[in-house]
């Protein structure tokens, strides 16, 4: 077992939101990890897949100084609205929770990464770019590996603990032989970011069911909206709130539901997309990875890292089940099922306990509250 006084040698593989958070949380707890990233630097802000930052993430990142910086830049989303061909179905007030942090927030993943990188730098730690894990061998007492640096130089260090935060195609996960079981949905999702010539309303997200299909509207910044849809001609169906300046990004993607079980093997731990991937419906992906990183850093500092998988897997299974159900609701095509959804959704969301359940899920407050936080406001929900 590792503890802060033993000062274990820790390697973090991957410098996305999860890896940066892991390194940041370890650093502020008195440990000094080494963090490597095979890429040349942070990704382009214009193509940030992750946008949502929920209340749980704001709670977790406050002690490291990142929350204040995030709130200074992010758009506060105070409502979630659902429509059926323009007819209102449901509306949720995402600020209707106790605590200091209110509502969902949106910020391009690239900006979140820059904030985490800046906070990490205040501890004298920085990612080693263009440095790749090429081999990993688990021995009785340590983790031996080969790293290839930017100049092709080979290094063979040994670490006490390794954190794999290197994404869905994780080299760490493959090296230790953990299965990434799951499935891929056949349906295609489409995405486009539109920038407008004048400020637009960023106070809400909206989903308009087309019966079948959907177009969702998510604020990116004061002049930009992201649209995500399940229909190929969605751009022709958008009702734009202002004159278009330009289209920043157009893409399409498929959705997978996969996770490892367990989330660790020996002294190797997986977090974020290296451990679980799922639909972006609900905006839980990046937030769940940040939550993984914070839990793991705390457990390592307490010498309890062996408990990581058992503590995190229930939260992972919960989020995957929820996002799978929500994605299936979005993709449904059966006319009877569509009619039932449109009839019963307004009735169901008028019930206070169901509304609260939906809000707590959207804000990431349905997973176990981190025991190290001074204010676990979600216990009052």
């Amino acid at each position: 077992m590792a503890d802060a006084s033993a000062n274990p040698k820790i390697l973090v593989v991957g410098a996305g939101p999860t890896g940066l958070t892991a390194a940041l949380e370890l650093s502020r707890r008195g440990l000094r990890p080494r963090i490597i990233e095979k890429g040349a630097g942070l990704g382009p802000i214009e193509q940030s897949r992750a946008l949502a930052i929920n209340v749980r993430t704001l709670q977790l990142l406050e002690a490291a100084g990142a929350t204040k910086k995030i709130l200074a830049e992010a758009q506060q989303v105070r409502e979630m609205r659902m429509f059926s061909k323009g007819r209102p179905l449901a509306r949720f007030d995402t600020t209707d929770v106790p605590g200091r942090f209110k509502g969902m927030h949106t910020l391009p993943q690239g900006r979140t990464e820059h904030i985490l990188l800046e906070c990490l730098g205040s501890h004298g730690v920085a990612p080693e770019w263009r440095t790749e894990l090429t081999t990993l061998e688990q021995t009785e007492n340590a983790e031996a590996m080969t790293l290839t640096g930017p100049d092709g130089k080979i290094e063979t260090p040994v670490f006490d603990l390794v954190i794999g935060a290197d994404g869905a195609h994780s080299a760490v996960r493959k090296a230790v032989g953990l299965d990434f079981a799951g499935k891929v949905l056949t349906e295609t999702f489409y995405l486009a970011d539109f920038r407008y010539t004048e400020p637009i309303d960023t106070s809400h997200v909206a989903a308009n069911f087309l019966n079948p299909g959907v177009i969702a509207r998510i604020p990116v910044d004061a002049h930009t909206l992201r649209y995500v849809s399940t229909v190929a001609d969605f751009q022709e169906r958008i009702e734009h709130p202002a004159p278009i300046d330009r289209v920043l990004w157009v893409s399409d993607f498929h959705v997978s539901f996969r996770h490892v079980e367990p989330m660790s093997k020996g002294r190797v731990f997986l977090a974020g997309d290296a451990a679980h991937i799922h639909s972006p419906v609900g905006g839980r992906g990046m937030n769940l990875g940040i939550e993984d990183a914070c839990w793991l850093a705390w457990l390592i500092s307490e010498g309890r890292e062996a408990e990581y998988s058992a503590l995190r897997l229930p939260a992972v299974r919960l989020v995957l089940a929820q996002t799978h159900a929500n994605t299936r609701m979005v993709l449904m095509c059966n006319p009877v099922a569509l009619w039932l959804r449109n009839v019963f959704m307004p009735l169901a969301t008028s019930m206070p306990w169901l509304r609260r359940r939906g809000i707590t899920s959207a804000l990431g407050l349905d997973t176990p509250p981190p025991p190290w936080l001074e204010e676990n406001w979600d216990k009052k929900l």
Side-chain angles (χ1 to χ4, degrees):
M1 292 287 194
D3 58 49
S5 62
N7 195 25
K9 293 181 63 179
I10 305 171
L11 177 68
V12 179
V13 183
T18 301
L20 290 169
T21 299
L24 175 58
E25 284 293 289
L26 288 166
S27 297
R28 79 172 185 86
R29 294 179 184 278
L31 299 168
R32 191 171 180 85
R34 183 176 175 184
I35 177 170
I36 64 171
E37 167 58 53
K38 69 178 182 179
L42 300 180
I45 295 175
E46 297 79 11
Q47 297 184 12
S48 295
R49 287 191 182 274
L51 285 175
I53 298 176
N54 62 32
V55 166
R56 173 72 83 224
T57 293
L58 295 176
Q59 292 175 339
L60 289 168
L61 295 179
E62 184 178 24
T67 294
K68 183 177 180 180
K69 296 175 185 293
I70 288 170
L71 292 176
E73 296 188 31
Q75 305 296 315
Q76 185 188 39
V77 176
R78 298 189 293 275
E79 282 191 343
M80 299 174 64
R81 303 174 185 176
M82 297 182 184
F83 302 86
S84 174
K85 292 185 175 180
R87 180 176 64 86
L89 286 180
R91 179 176 290 196
F92 297 90
D93 179 358
T94 63
T95 68
D96 185 22
V97 291
R100 292 174 295 113
F101 302 122
K102 302 292 187 181
M104 178 70 73
H105 288 77
T106 60
L107 186 69
Q109 178 178 322
R111 284 303 308 149
T112 301
E113 290 176 348
H114 276 85
I115 289 170
L116 293 171
L117 183 63
E118 180 183 347
C119 292
L120 179 60
S122 69
H123 294 276
V125 178
E128 300 173 36
W129 306 109
R130 294 191 293 164
T131 301
E132 185 173 1
L133 175 79
T134 47
T135 67
L136 173 62
E137 179 182 355
Q138 294 190 286
T139 65
E140 185 176 353
N141 298 312
E143 307 300 319
M145 64 200 65
T146 304
L147 304 181
T148 303
D151 55 358
K153 182 179 179 181
I154 303 298
E155 184 184 355
T156 56
V158 175
F159 288 89
D160 300 307
L161 303 171
V162 176
I163 299 173
D166 50 341
H169 302 288
S170 172
V172 176
R173 185 186 67 239
K174 294 173 183 176
V176 297
L178 284 170
D179 187 29
F180 206 33
K183 62 181 179 180
V184 181
L185 300 186
T186 58
E187 294 87 351
T188 302
F189 285 73
Y190 305 89
L191 175 155
D193 287 357
F194 282 83
R195 183 167 182 82
Y196 298 99
T197 59
E198 56 192 60
I200 41 87
D201 182 3
T202 61
S203 67
H204 67 279
V205 298
N208 186 26
F209 296 109
L210 306 174
N211 304 325
V214 67
I215 299 177
R217 169 196 190 276
I218 308 163
V220 177
D221 60 42
H223 287 81
T224 308
L225 291 175
R226 171 166 297 174
Y227 297 91
V228 182
S229 183
T230 58
V231 295
D233 65 343
F234 75 105
Q235 292 191 54
E236 301 171 14
R237 305 185 185 211
I238 295 172
E239 296 183 9
H240 293 283
I244 299 169
D245 178 16
R246 62 187 184 278
V247 181
L248 299 177
W249 186 30
V250 177
S251 182
D252 60 70
F253 58 95
H254 287 85
V255 168
S256 297
F257 293 87
R258 301 183 186 276
H259 76 279
V260 293
E261 193 165 335
M263 292 175 67
S264 62
K265 186 174 182 180
R267 292 166 302 277
V268 175
F269 306 86
L270 299 177
D273 286 356
H276 44 76
I277 55 174
H278 54 82
S279 167
V281 174
R284 298 295 297 267
M286 182 181 73
N287 294 282
L288 193 63
I290 288 173
E291 193 174 328
D292 289 342
C294 292
W295 272 88
L296 181 54
W298 175 69
L299 288 168
I300 290 172
S301 73
E302 294 286 312
R304 296 171 53 190
E305 62 272 11
E307 302 174 36
Y308 170 68
S309 186
L311 289 171
R312 288 306 297 154
L313 271 174
V316 170
R317 295 190 193 108
L318 171 70
V319 172
L320 263 70
Q322 287 178 346
T323 55
H324 190 268
N326 291 338
T327 302
R328 278 301 173 196
M329 181 188 70
V330 164
L331 292 171
M332 65 174 55
C333 297
N334 182 282
V336 175
L338 292 170
W339 179 82
L340 289 172
R341 180 193 65 195
N342 293 342
V343 169
F344 287 104
M345 183 179 288
L347 296 176
T349 55
S350 66
M351 301 178 186
W353 70 274
L354 277 177
R355 290 179 63 84
R356 181 55 57 87
R357 182 177 176 181
I359 294 170
T360 55
S361 174
L363 300 180
L365 297 175
D366 53 352
T367 58
W372 65 91
L373 292 182
E374 293 182 4
E375 295 176 310
N376 277 312
W377 292 101
D378 46 300
K379 290 181 179 177
K380 302 176 183 178
L381 295 175

